[in-house]
Each structure stands twice: as C-alpha cells, then as structure tokens.
Amino acid sequence: YPFLPVSWLLEDRYEPKKIHNLQAPLFIFHGEQDKTVPVELGKQLYASAPEPKTLKIYPNIGHNGFSNASVAVMHFLKKHRICSKYIN
C-alpha cells in the first residue's frame, strides 16, 4: 500500500544488520512462493544470525499459507526448551 505512511505506523523496524547480536534461539520459516517477502531475504537473515538457529523453507507456500507449520514450530520449541512446561 504505497499510499499509506507505513514508516509512521511501524513500531518494530526490520534491521537485519542487528541479527548478529541475537542471544536467543532463532527459528525462521518461509514460504518459497512468498511474493511479499522474497525467500532470499529469509535465507540472508538466517546466514547472518548466530547459532542456535533453524531455517525451514516451505515449497508451494506464499506469504499467508502456514497452517501446516505448527509441527515444525513445536519441534523447535521443544528442542530449545522454550515453554517446555506447556508442551508435551
């Protein structure tokens, strides 16, 4: 929506240069057919991030098609013991 003043509305800015300072496990999942955020940006972000990190690319999925990503998300949360109290 180029006619909207998005920069005035955003609270969180996308600043990939800061990813190297991350001190938490990172899980990036991306649709290979995403036309809004190209998959190459997700790959670049992953490459710049420190460990521990996980990248999951979903073929044939666009920007809003992640209903089947929950299994991968739950696996990541268990692996890094995030919210393990609530996950079986």
Side-chain angles (χ1 to χ4, degrees), residues 2-3 14 17 32 36 50 67-68 78-79 81-83:
F3 59 88
Y14 176 68
K17 291 176 257 169
E32 197 169 48
T36 305
S67 60
N68 65 348
K78 281 184 180 181
K79 178 180 175 183
R81 298 179 183 191
I82 301 169
C83 302

Side-chain angles (χ1 to χ4, degrees), residues 27 29-33 56-61 66 68-70 72:
F27 180 59
F29 57 99
H30 213 287
E32 197 169 48
Q33 304 302 317
K56 179 78 174 150
I57 306 284
Y58 289 88
N60 303 318
I61 292 182
F66 286 100
N68 65 348
S70 61

Side-chain angles (χ1 to χ4, degrees), residues 20 24 31 45 63 78:
H20 70 277
L45 191 62
H63 191 71
K78 281 184 180 181

